[in-house]
Amino acid sequence: MQSNKAGILEGNRIILNTTVNEIRVALVEDGRLTEFFVERADIERMIGNIYKGRVVSVHSGLKAAFVDIDANKAAFLPLTWVSEENDFDIDEDSSSVETVRVESGNELLVQVIKDPLGTKGARVTTNVSIPGKFLVLTPLSNKVAVSRKIPDRKERDRLKRIIRKLKPKDMGFIIRTAAEGGNEKDFQVDIKRLLRIWSKIRQIALKKTKKNVPALIHKDTELVIRLMRDLLTERINEVVVDSKEEQKKILKYISFITPGMAKKVNLYQGKESIFRAYKIQNEITTMLNKRIKLKSGGYIIIEPTEALVAIDVNSGKSLSATVPEKLALITNLEAATEIAQQLRLRDIGGIIVVDFIDMEKARSREQVLSTFKKAMRGDRARYKLLCISNLGLMEMTRKRVSPEIAQSFFDICPVCEGKGKVLSQIHLSLKVIRGIESKAKKLTDRSIILYGHPEFIDFFSKEFSDRLAHFSRKFRISIQLRKDAAFSIDSLKIFDNEKLKDITGVVLE
């Protein structure tokens, strides 16, 4: 299947872009970018991985244990997440799970639920779970639970009856939102696959002796397959991919789980880069700004701090100390919808405080809160929300299991010692590579010079020398790299050496 359509059309799409060392995936709903994912070869993702680890220490004050999983830092295991049925050693002579106490030296099977962040190690749990398309296997529990996002009581009961009929007696399952309306045949395929994975995990864990613990037992699937598993539902009209290799992977996975959806997967073969063709690149750039404009003329400012994320709402129109109730309400309603979308798009988590424009009427505050809750329905992350106070403050928490998306694009600036941020060298390099690749035909038989900070040029030439050589051979482009200390670490210039013309904007537009 092929797709040459340009521009975001009506409906919902998953759009996938592949470049050297990087995969970018965009979820577009009703013509707007709602979720964005990046996976790079230089950043290791641990979430979902299962390890056989060793308890290094137990801290009663913290009510937690630290577990060696062969990472740079010991993993953090809250003891409240260790239940009798889930904290275990695997008995090689028994098919049952044996309960143990968590003590230093114990070997545990743990699963990463949160990647390392800053000075903190990964967060793990002994409550192992293996996600499928419709179900999540919880092999150390025999309970059946249903996603809260399936509200209909009759449907919840129907799904429970089917799964209880199909599941092994000593294992549990969580019924995912995607299972709504599903049939017994769909679930049989999912259960068979999940049980096969768990059997393999147990076999590998049993083979690991004290000499080779800690050890990685099971690695979660790669980004593209995870997103097909989690995002590809009947609501998605099309999956557009710009790589034949990734298309084959997707079709192989879908043909086994949901073969009827294979017709939705199309290969993009347009001349323009896929993200530009579907008008996504500009939205990604906007996503990195801390100030977002509203249609009414107001704006919001998103400011991460050490302890929380502060979001300020401004009318942008009134110069007086107070804003009329009607204008405040209109601006706050727009902001409520936009903030919900930005939380999801940027994957902002932790404690979040929103400072809305002051509203005197309780009815106005209730209306804004209701609008915000409605806008949050599409968010897959768990969150807790408090009412808007008389001062216009709304407090909430949102669960985030991976670093905020902006951290994939920015490094801490060495010049300002961490007070500001600059584009990371890898992101700037990939931006150049994508630019040259998309404009290669226009640059054929040309000699170009790239000027940049010495640190960036050293990094770029080391990491992407093979790719530059490929461009030179294939498109007959002469590419020279020049160091210039006058450039900031995240800026560069590209010149046409023959016409003595600055073509930075042309290449990186």
Side-chain angles (χ1 to χ4, degrees):
M1 299 178 191
Q2 300 176 356
S3 176
N4 292 304
K5 297 176 182 178
I8 296 178
L9 308 176
E10 291 183 2
N12 305 323
R13 284 175 173 76
I14 298 172
I15 301 174
L16 187 147
N17 167 238
T18 59
T19 318
V20 184
N21 296 340
E22 182 182 64
I23 294 177
R24 303 187 299 168
V25 182
L27 173 62
V28 177
E29 296 178 327
D30 297 324
R32 175 161 186 174
L33 179 66
T34 55
E35 293 190 45
F36 181 66
F37 309 88
V38 179
E39 190 160 274
R40 298 206 310 256
D42 64 314
I43 299 177
E44 183 182 4
R45 182 185 185 275
M46 299 176 68
I47 295 172
N49 290 356
I50 298 174
Y51 296 84
K52 192 170 184 181
R54 181 180 290 108
V55 178
V56 177
S57 59
V58 179
H59 294 257
S60 56
L62 293 174
K63 294 183 179 179
F66 289 90
V67 184
D68 182 6
I69 58 171
D70 197 24
N72 291 333
K73 295 182 181 295
F76 184 79
L77 171 65
L79 296 181
T80 53
W81 293 354
V82 180
S83 63
E84 288 187 358
E85 63 181 3
N86 290 318
D87 172 23
F88 66 98
D89 282 329
I90 297 177
D91 183 358
E92 193 164 351
D93 298 323
S94 172
S95 60
S96 64
V97 172
E98 192 175 309
T99 61
V100 298
R101 292 178 60 190
V102 178
E103 297 177 343
S104 293
N106 277 162
E107 293 177 11
L108 299 174
L109 203 63
V110 295
Q111 186 171 36
V112 177
I113 59 170
K114 192 172 185 179
D115 273 328
L117 185 61
T119 59
K120 298 178 181 178
R123 183 164 291 214
V124 297
T125 179
T126 58
N127 300 320
V128 174
S129 62
I130 307 168
K133 179 65 180 176
F134 304 107
L135 306 167
V136 177
L137 170 64
T138 52
L140 308 178
S141 166
N142 63 1
K143 298 176 183 177
V144 175
V146 186
S147 167
R148 295 176 183 175
K149 292 189 177 182
I150 300 178
D152 185 79
R153 175 59 60 184
K154 289 184 179 179
E155 176 64 3
R156 293 170 67 89
D157 291 342
R158 183 187 75 87
L159 292 171
K160 282 184 179 180
R161 284 196 300 271
I162 294 175
I163 301 308
R164 282 173 180 151
K165 174 185 173 183
L166 298 176
K167 81 176 188 71
K169 290 182 180 180
D170 58 343
M171 293 189 185
F173 285 91
I174 299 170
I175 301 170
R176 306 187 72 179
T177 310
E180 189 171 11
N183 57 52
E184 197 169 302
K185 184 178 179 181
D186 292 331
F187 304 145
Q188 283 176 331
V189 173
D190 225 18
I191 289 174
K192 184 178 180 181
R193 177 174 173 271
L194 292 172
L195 292 178
R196 187 166 61 247
I197 294 173
W198 173 241
S199 176
K200 186 177 180 181
I201 290 170
R202 283 185 58 85
Q203 289 174 15
I204 296 173
L206 287 171
K207 292 178 182 178
K208 298 296 179 182
T209 63
K210 291 185 178 181
K211 292 181 180 179
N212 48 27
V213 171
L216 174 64
I217 304 298
H218 171 75
K219 190 173 181 63
D220 196 14
T221 53
E222 58 186 291
L223 175 69
V224 174
I225 301 303
R226 288 199 310 272
L227 294 181
M228 292 305 111
R229 180 188 71 198
D230 297 341
L231 299 181
L232 184 54
T233 64
E234 293 295 338
R235 293 181 63 252
I236 300 297
N237 303 101
E238 184 183 23
V239 178
V240 191
V241 191
D242 66 355
S243 161
K244 286 185 178 180
E245 183 180 349
E246 297 301 327
Q247 185 195 28
K248 287 179 181 177
K249 287 181 185 177
I250 293 170
L251 289 173
K252 182 179 179 181
Y253 172 76
I254 292 176
S255 63
F256 181 73
I257 303 296
T258 50
M261 291 190 180
K263 60 186 177 184
K264 295 185 177 184
V265 183
N266 294 321
L267 178 65
Y268 173 77
Q269 293 188 328
K271 294 181 180 179
E272 193 175 19
S273 66
I274 189 169
F275 273 18
R276 294 201 182 281
Y278 281 87
K279 315 300 182 190
I280 295 174
Q281 194 60 51
N282 289 340
E283 292 201 54
I284 295 172
T285 302
T286 302
M287 177 187 70
L288 301 177
N289 296 334
K290 70 176 185 178
R291 179 167 171 158
I292 300 109
K293 293 181 180 179
L294 302 173
K295 292 180 181 178
S296 63
Y299 58 92
I300 62 175
I301 294 178
I302 301 176
E303 195 70 69
T305 70
E306 188 73 22
L308 51 82
V309 175
I311 302 178
D312 189 32
V313 182
N314 295 277
S315 69
K317 288 184 176 180
S318 178
L319 297 176
S320 62
T322 59
V323 178
E325 182 83 4
K326 185 176 180 180
L327 175 59
L329 178 58
I330 292 172
T331 306
N332 285 338
L333 288 173
E334 277 191 19
T337 301
E338 185 63 39
I339 289 167
Q341 291 173 335
Q342 291 297 326
L343 294 181
R344 182 182 176 191
L345 179 58
R346 301 177 187 222
D347 195 19
I348 296 173
I351 299 172
I352 302 160
V353 178
V354 181
D355 184 8
F356 286 108
I357 301 170
D358 290 346
M359 297 170 288
E360 294 181 3
K361 299 177 182 178
R363 186 173 60 184
S364 297
R365 294 193 291 271
E366 290 170 4
Q367 193 175 343
V368 171
L369 187 65
S370 176
T371 298
F372 181 77
K373 288 179 178 178
K374 184 179 179 181
M376 287 291 289
R377 286 177 186 169
D379 198 329
R380 294 181 296 128
R382 292 184 181 180
Y383 70 94
K384 293 181 180 179
L385 181 65
L386 299 180
C387 294
I388 300 175
S389 71
N390 293 338
L391 296 175
L393 297 178
M394 183 183 76
E395 300 170 61
M396 67 175 293
T397 60
R398 182 179 181 274
K399 186 178 180 181
R400 183 188 68 218
V401 294
S402 57
E404 186 183 345
I405 192 70
Q407 294 186 31
S408 299
F409 291 87
F410 297 107
D411 284 333
I412 300 300
C413 176
V415 178
C416 61
E417 299 179 346
K419 294 178 183 177
K421 294 178 180 178
V422 296
L423 282 174
S424 67
Q425 291 181 344
I426 183 68
H427 179 67
L428 188 58
S429 298
L430 290 169
K431 189 175 181 181
V432 173
I433 292 295
R434 283 195 295 268
I436 295 175
E437 194 168 40
S438 64
K439 304 294 180 183
K441 290 184 179 179
K442 292 183 179 180
L443 300 174
T444 299
D445 292 324
R446 304 274 279 280
S447 172
I448 65 173
I449 303 176
L450 189 154
Y451 293 88
H453 188 277
E455 242 181 83
F456 169 73
I457 296 297
D458 286 342
F459 175 86
F460 186 61
S461 60
K462 178 182 177 182
E463 298 296 327
F464 294 89
S465 58
D466 291 344
R467 195 63 180 172
L468 292 176
H470 168 72
F471 287 149
S472 296
R473 290 192 303 270
K474 184 175 180 180
F475 300 105
R476 301 189 304 279
I477 306 171
S478 170
I479 304 173
Q480 301 176 49
L481 305 179
R482 299 280 177 83
K483 298 178 181 180
D484 190 338
F487 282 84
S488 62
I489 201 165
D490 68 338
S491 67
L492 54 85
K493 289 287 184 182
I494 302 174
F495 281 83
D496 184 328
N497 196 33
E498 296 173 6
K499 297 183 179 180
L500 300 178
K501 182 181 179 182
D502 185 347
I503 58 171
T504 311
V506 176
V507 177
L508 303 182
E509 65 175 346

PDB file of all heavy atoms in Angstrom, residues 146-159 180:
ATOM      1  N   VAL A 146     -10.837  -4.656  34.900  1.00  0.00           N
ATOM      2  CA  VAL A 146     -11.236  -4.017  33.646  1.00  0.00           C
ATOM      3  C   VAL A 146     -10.826  -2.549  33.667  1.00  0.00           C
ATOM      4  O   VAL A 146     -10.925  -1.883  34.703  1.00  0.00           O
ATOM      5  CB  VAL A 146     -12.771  -4.107  33.431  1.00  0.00           C
ATOM      6  CG1 VAL A 146     -13.147  -3.578  32.055  1.00  0.00           C
ATOM      7  CG2 VAL A 146     -13.261  -5.532  33.585  1.00  0.00           C
ATOM      8  N   SER A 147     -10.364  -2.045  32.527  1.00  0.00           N
ATOM      9  CA  SER A 147      -9.991  -0.640  32.411  1.00  0.00           C
ATOM     10  C   SER A 147     -11.150   0.265  32.822  1.00  0.00           C
ATOM     11  O   SER A 147     -12.305   0.029  32.456  1.00  0.00           O
ATOM     12  CB  SER A 147      -9.602  -0.324  30.960  1.00  0.00           C
ATOM     13  OG  SER A 147      -9.521   1.064  30.753  1.00  0.00           O
ATOM     14  N   ARG A 148     -10.832   1.308  33.577  1.00  0.00           N
ATOM     15  CA  ARG A 148     -11.849   2.263  34.018  1.00  0.00           C
ATOM     16  C   ARG A 148     -12.439   3.043  32.847  1.00  0.00           C
ATOM     17  O   ARG A 148     -13.496   3.653  32.976  1.00  0.00           O
ATOM     18  CB  ARG A 148     -11.233   3.246  35.016  1.00  0.00           C
ATOM     19  CG  ARG A 148     -10.780   2.590  36.319  1.00  0.00           C
ATOM     20  CD  ARG A 148     -10.092   3.596  37.214  1.00  0.00           C
ATOM     21  NE  ARG A 148      -9.579   2.971  38.432  1.00  0.00           N
ATOM     22  CZ  ARG A 148      -8.847   3.609  39.346  1.00  0.00           C
ATOM     23  NH1 ARG A 148      -8.553   4.894  39.159  1.00  0.00           N
ATOM     24  NH2 ARG A 148      -8.429   2.991  40.423  1.00  0.00           N
ATOM     25  N   LYS A 149     -11.749   3.019  31.714  1.00  0.00           N
ATOM     26  CA  LYS A 149     -12.226   3.769  30.555  1.00  0.00           C
ATOM     27  C   LYS A 149     -13.280   2.995  29.754  1.00  0.00           C
ATOM     28  O   LYS A 149     -13.718   3.453  28.707  1.00  0.00           O
ATOM     29  CB  LYS A 149     -11.048   4.167  29.665  1.00  0.00           C
ATOM     30  CG  LYS A 149     -10.148   5.189  30.345  1.00  0.00           C
ATOM     31  CD  LYS A 149      -9.105   5.761  29.411  1.00  0.00           C
ATOM     32  CE  LYS A 149      -8.281   6.840  30.109  1.00  0.00           C
ATOM     33  NZ  LYS A 149      -7.283   7.449  29.219  1.00  0.00           N
ATOM     34  N   ILE A 150     -13.663   1.819  30.252  1.00  0.00           N
ATOM     35  CA  ILE A 150     -14.827   1.119  29.704  1.00  0.00           C
ATOM     36  C   ILE A 150     -15.954   1.336  30.716  1.00  0.00           C
ATOM     37  O   ILE A 150     -16.044   0.631  31.728  1.00  0.00           O
ATOM     38  CB  ILE A 150     -14.556  -0.395  29.508  1.00  0.00           C
ATOM     39  CG1 ILE A 150     -13.378  -0.597  28.544  1.00  0.00           C
ATOM     40  CG2 ILE A 150     -15.794  -1.096  28.976  1.00  0.00           C
ATOM     41  CD1 ILE A 150     -13.005  -2.045  28.311  1.00  0.00           C
ATOM     42  N   PRO A 151     -16.808   2.333  30.501  1.00  0.00           N
ATOM     43  CA  PRO A 151     -17.781   2.731  31.530  1.00  0.00           C
ATOM     44  C   PRO A 151     -19.024   1.849  31.634  1.00  0.00           C
ATOM     45  O   PRO A 151     -19.623   1.753  32.701  1.00  0.00           O
ATOM     46  CB  PRO A 151     -18.168   4.155  31.094  1.00  0.00           C
ATOM     47  CG  PRO A 151     -18.009   4.146  29.611  1.00  0.00           C
ATOM     48  CD  PRO A 151     -16.870   3.206  29.321  1.00  0.00           C
ATOM     49  N   ASP A 152     -19.414   1.197  30.528  1.00  0.00           N
ATOM     50  CA  ASP A 152     -20.662   0.456  30.517  1.00  0.00           C
ATOM     51  C   ASP A 152     -20.587  -0.801  31.387  1.00  0.00           C
ATOM     52  O   ASP A 152     -19.744  -1.681  31.152  1.00  0.00           O
ATOM     53  CB  ASP A 152     -21.014   0.058  29.079  1.00  0.00           C
ATOM     54  CG  ASP A 152     -22.365  -0.617  28.989  1.00  0.00           C
ATOM     55  OD1 ASP A 152     -23.389   0.101  29.006  1.00  0.00           O
ATOM     56  OD2 ASP A 152     -22.396  -1.859  28.917  1.00  0.00           O
ATOM     57  N   ARG A 153     -21.463  -0.888  32.391  1.00  0.00           N
ATOM     58  CA  ARG A 153     -21.425  -1.991  33.345  1.00  0.00           C
ATOM     59  C   ARG A 153     -21.660  -3.345  32.678  1.00  0.00           C
ATOM     60  O   ARG A 153     -20.971  -4.323  32.969  1.00  0.00           O
ATOM     61  CB  ARG A 153     -22.473  -1.740  34.436  1.00  0.00           C
ATOM     62  CG  ARG A 153     -22.648  -2.866  35.441  1.00  0.00           C
ATOM     63  CD  ARG A 153     -21.372  -3.207  36.178  1.00  0.00           C
ATOM     64  NE  ARG A 153     -20.853  -2.080  36.931  1.00  0.00           N
ATOM     65  CZ  ARG A 153     -19.694  -2.114  37.597  1.00  0.00           C
ATOM     66  NH1 ARG A 153     -18.938  -3.210  37.531  1.00  0.00           N
ATOM     67  NH2 ARG A 153     -19.288  -1.054  38.274  1.00  0.00           N
ATOM     68  N   LYS A 154     -22.621  -3.425  31.761  1.00  0.00           N
ATOM     69  CA  LYS A 154     -22.916  -4.688  31.078  1.00  0.00           C
ATOM     70  C   LYS A 154     -21.720  -5.174  30.259  1.00  0.00           C
ATOM     71  O   LYS A 154     -21.411  -6.370  30.234  1.00  0.00           O
ATOM     72  CB  LYS A 154     -24.136  -4.529  30.181  1.00  0.00           C
ATOM     73  CG  LYS A 154     -25.449  -4.387  30.937  1.00  0.00           C
ATOM     74  CD  LYS A 154     -26.626  -4.320  29.976  1.00  0.00           C
ATOM     75  CE  LYS A 154     -27.943  -4.197  30.736  1.00  0.00           C
ATOM     76  NZ  LYS A 154     -29.104  -4.117  29.814  1.00  0.00           N
ATOM     77  N   GLU A 155     -21.045  -4.225  29.589  1.00  0.00           N
ATOM     78  CA  GLU A 155     -19.873  -4.598  28.789  1.00  0.00           C
ATOM     79  C   GLU A 155     -18.732  -5.060  29.686  1.00  0.00           C
ATOM     80  O   GLU A 155     -18.028  -6.034  29.361  1.00  0.00           O
ATOM     81  CB  GLU A 155     -19.432  -3.411  27.928  1.00  0.00           C
ATOM     82  CG  GLU A 155     -18.156  -3.637  27.121  1.00  0.00           C
ATOM     83  CD  GLU A 155     -18.275  -4.724  26.068  1.00  0.00           C
ATOM     84  OE1 GLU A 155     -19.369  -5.298  25.903  1.00  0.00           O
ATOM     85  OE2 GLU A 155     -17.267  -5.005  25.395  1.00  0.00           O
ATOM     86  N   ARG A 156     -18.559  -4.411  30.816  1.00  0.00           N
ATOM     87  CA  ARG A 156     -17.502  -4.813  31.757  1.00  0.00           C
ATOM     88  C   ARG A 156     -17.755  -6.241  32.251  1.00  0.00           C
ATOM     89  O   ARG A 156     -16.835  -7.062  32.306  1.00  0.00           O
ATOM     90  CB  ARG A 156     -17.456  -3.842  32.939  1.00  0.00           C
ATOM     91  CG  ARG A 156     -17.015  -2.429  32.558  1.00  0.00           C
ATOM     92  CD  ARG A 156     -17.230  -1.452  33.723  1.00  0.00           C
ATOM     93  NE  ARG A 156     -16.341  -1.756  34.832  1.00  0.00           N
ATOM     94  CZ  ARG A 156     -15.115  -1.268  34.973  1.00  0.00           C
ATOM     95  NH1 ARG A 156     -14.627  -0.454  34.050  1.00  0.00           N
ATOM     96  NH2 ARG A 156     -14.378  -1.574  36.009  1.00  0.00           N
ATOM     97  N   ASP A 157     -18.993  -6.509  32.606  1.00  0.00           N
ATOM     98  CA  ASP A 157     -19.336  -7.848  33.101  1.00  0.00           C
ATOM     99  C   ASP A 157     -19.164  -8.894  32.003  1.00  0.00           C
ATOM    100  O   ASP A 157     -18.703 -10.011  32.257  1.00  0.00           O
ATOM    101  CB  ASP A 157     -20.776  -7.865  33.613  1.00  0.00           C
ATOM    102  CG  ASP A 157     -20.946  -7.052  34.897  1.00  0.00           C
ATOM    103  OD1 ASP A 157     -19.932  -6.777  35.551  1.00  0.00           O
ATOM    104  OD2 ASP A 157     -22.095  -6.676  35.227  1.00  0.00           O
ATOM    105  N   ARG A 158     -19.548  -8.555  30.763  1.00  0.00           N
ATOM    106  CA  ARG A 158     -19.408  -9.484  29.638  1.00  0.00           C
ATOM    107  C   ARG A 158     -17.946  -9.854  29.420  1.00  0.00           C
ATOM    108  O   ARG A 158     -17.598 -11.033  29.240  1.00  0.00           O
ATOM    109  CB  ARG A 158     -19.982  -8.855  28.370  1.00  0.00           C
ATOM    110  CG  ARG A 158     -19.944  -9.778  27.143  1.00  0.00           C
ATOM    111  CD  ARG A 158     -20.380  -9.044  25.876  1.00  0.00           C
ATOM    112  NE  ARG A 158     -19.337  -8.142  25.401  1.00  0.00           N
ATOM    113  CZ  ARG A 158     -18.347  -8.518  24.583  1.00  0.00           C
ATOM    114  NH1 ARG A 158     -18.272  -9.771  24.169  1.00  0.00           N
ATOM    115  NH2 ARG A 158     -17.439  -7.642  24.196  1.00  0.00           N
ATOM    116  N   LEU A 159     -17.090  -8.838  29.438  1.00  0.00           N
ATOM    117  CA  LEU A 159     -15.662  -9.074  29.215  1.00  0.00           C
ATOM    118  C   LEU A 159     -15.063  -9.922  30.330  1.00  0.00           C
ATOM    119  O   LEU A 159     -14.254 -10.822  30.079  1.00  0.00           O
ATOM    120  CB  LEU A 159     -14.935  -7.725  29.111  1.00  0.00           C
ATOM    121  CG  LEU A 159     -15.270  -6.884  27.866  1.00  0.00           C
ATOM    122  CD1 LEU A 159     -14.674  -5.493  27.997  1.00  0.00           C
ATOM    123  CD2 LEU A 159     -14.767  -7.561  26.596  1.00  0.00           C
ATOM    124  N   GLU A 180     -12.898  -3.438  24.368  1.00  0.00           N
ATOM    125  CA  GLU A 180     -14.325  -3.116  24.336  1.00  0.00           C
ATOM    126  C   GLU A 180     -14.931  -3.565  23.004  1.00  0.00           C
ATOM    127  O   GLU A 180     -14.460  -3.217  21.930  1.00  0.00           O
ATOM    128  CB  GLU A 180     -14.527  -1.613  24.526  1.00  0.00           C
ATOM    129  CG  GLU A 180     -15.976  -1.207  24.712  1.00  0.00           C
ATOM    130  CD  GLU A 180     -16.136   0.252  25.106  1.00  0.00           C
ATOM    131  OE1 GLU A 180     -15.131   1.007  25.030  1.00  0.00           O
ATOM    132  OE2 GLU A 180     -17.241   0.637  25.504  1.00  0.00           O
TER     133      GLU A 180
END
